[in-house]
Amino acid sequence: KNPPEGYQQPAVDVVAEFNKLQQKIVDGAYTNQYDFEADLQLLIFALKDGHVSLNAGVLSAFYFASPYEIISVSVDGKQAPKVYLTDDFLDSTTQGYTASAIATINGTEATEFLTRYAALNSWGYVEPHAEWNDLMSHPTQDIQGVPNTFSGWGTFYPGSDLTITFENKSDPLELSWLAIYNDFANATGPLTTGGDFYNYFVLGLLPDSFNDTQEAAEFIGDEGTTVVSAPGNWSSASYGAFPEDPNVA
């Protein structure tokens, strides 16, 4: 609650905020599970500590994602960076056209929209600059096969529609946000009702459709050992950012 001088995130009295949550429960202020979990998750994010996380309940079932990745690029290393669609910018460097920077996202100026989105959905970063960086695609994520906050790890439902406009006034992209099912869970079979969903993700109760034989088969390989895929060509997924034949593993 009293961060050191120079700390760039808002101060938060964690104990006091947990007490507020408890009081809302006692007062019956929560009328649904989602509102309670959202308040709890926002408090966890407010700690800005990468070693503190929560993956439970209804908010653990899905991540939300843009269908397109983005990058922040200065075209000559001197001008202020602008935000581009990653694929568009990379294609422009090989196909001889000039990519257009993104102007707005859902009617809001791009930098303003992305700064708000990062502050809401990022966790574990002690400065807003790092939150911004984690919206962007980059080779180390390609190598590890992990998403970024904007195109794979959004926690809070952003709505269904995603509209992107460009500075060159070309046709806007009319898209839908994607919901990515967090399939770390058991082989539950279909969760067909709201009750099934609540019972499994909130109460931890396996549905009658759970198949433990299928669960074991998905974890164990054909020879009875756990299957681990080795990385392929490191540079093929990272646009040459890493060597073809690294001498370390």
Side-chain angles (χ1 to χ4, degrees):
K1 63 181 178 180
N2 297 307
E5 183 178 355
Y7 186 69
Q8 298 181 43
Q9 300 284 18
V12 56
D13 185 335
V14 179
V15 174
E17 292 302 316
F18 270 120
N19 288 337
K20 289 179 184 178
L21 285 178
Q22 180 64 57
Q23 191 59 51
K24 289 179 72 172
I25 294 170
V26 172
D27 293 343
Y30 291 113
T31 60
N32 64 73
Q33 179 72 16
Y34 185 91
D35 287 346
F36 161 68
E37 288 193 19
D39 280 355
L40 180 57
Q41 191 69 67
L42 286 169
L43 177 54
I44 298 298
F45 281 4
L47 271 65
K48 305 299 179 182
D49 185 338
H51 295 92
V52 181
S53 62
L54 174 67
N55 188 16
V58 296
L59 285 178
S60 70
F62 296 100
Y63 293 122
F64 298 101
S66 160
Y68 288 92
E69 294 187 338
I70 55 175
I71 49 175
S72 180
V73 176
S74 169
V75 293
D76 60 3
K78 299 177 181 179
Q79 298 179 48
K82 294 183 177 182
V83 178
Y84 299 82
L85 298 180
T86 302
D87 288 344
D88 186 34
F89 191 88
L90 292 172
D91 287 346
S92 73
T93 64
T94 59
Q95 298 178 20
Y97 68 90
T98 300
S100 177
I102 296 172
T104 67
I105 301 176
N106 283 358
T108 300
E109 190 273 328
T111 299
E112 181 182 348
F113 179 94
L114 292 171
T115 300
R116 292 178 181 177
Y117 189 90
L120 176 64
N121 287 283
S122 298
W123 63 273
Y125 299 109
V126 296
E127 60 172 12
H129 192 97
E131 295 177 342
W132 173 270
N133 284 346
D134 200 52
L135 296 172
M136 308 298 163
S137 59
H138 55 81
T140 49
Q141 289 181 333
D142 297 332
I143 292 303
Q144 296 175 81
V146 297
N148 54 60
T149 305
F150 186 65
S151 60
W153 268 348
T155 296
F156 297 100
Y157 177 58
S160 59
D161 297 331
L162 173 61
T163 301
I164 298 174
T165 68
F166 300 92
E167 289 186 354
N168 66 0
K169 308 300 183 182
S170 58
D171 291 340
L173 281 178
E174 301 286 351
L175 307 168
S176 296
W177 291 94
L178 305 178
I180 301 172
Y181 181 59
N182 195 351
D183 60 357
F184 72 88
N186 294 293
T188 61
L191 301 174
T192 55
T193 69
D196 289 343
F197 188 89
Y198 182 88
N199 287 341
Y200 180 67
F201 283 102
V202 178
L203 303 182
L205 302 176
L206 287 166
D208 292 338
S209 57
F210 173 66
N211 185 332
D212 56 359
T213 303
Q214 178 186 354
E215 176 82 357
E218 290 178 353
F219 182 76
I220 303 298
D222 293 338
E223 303 301 321
T225 57
T226 303
V227 177
V228 179
S229 298
N233 182 326
W234 280 40
S235 65
S236 63
S238 61
Y239 307 103
F242 293 93
E244 297 278 349
D245 54 349
N247 60 7
V248 295

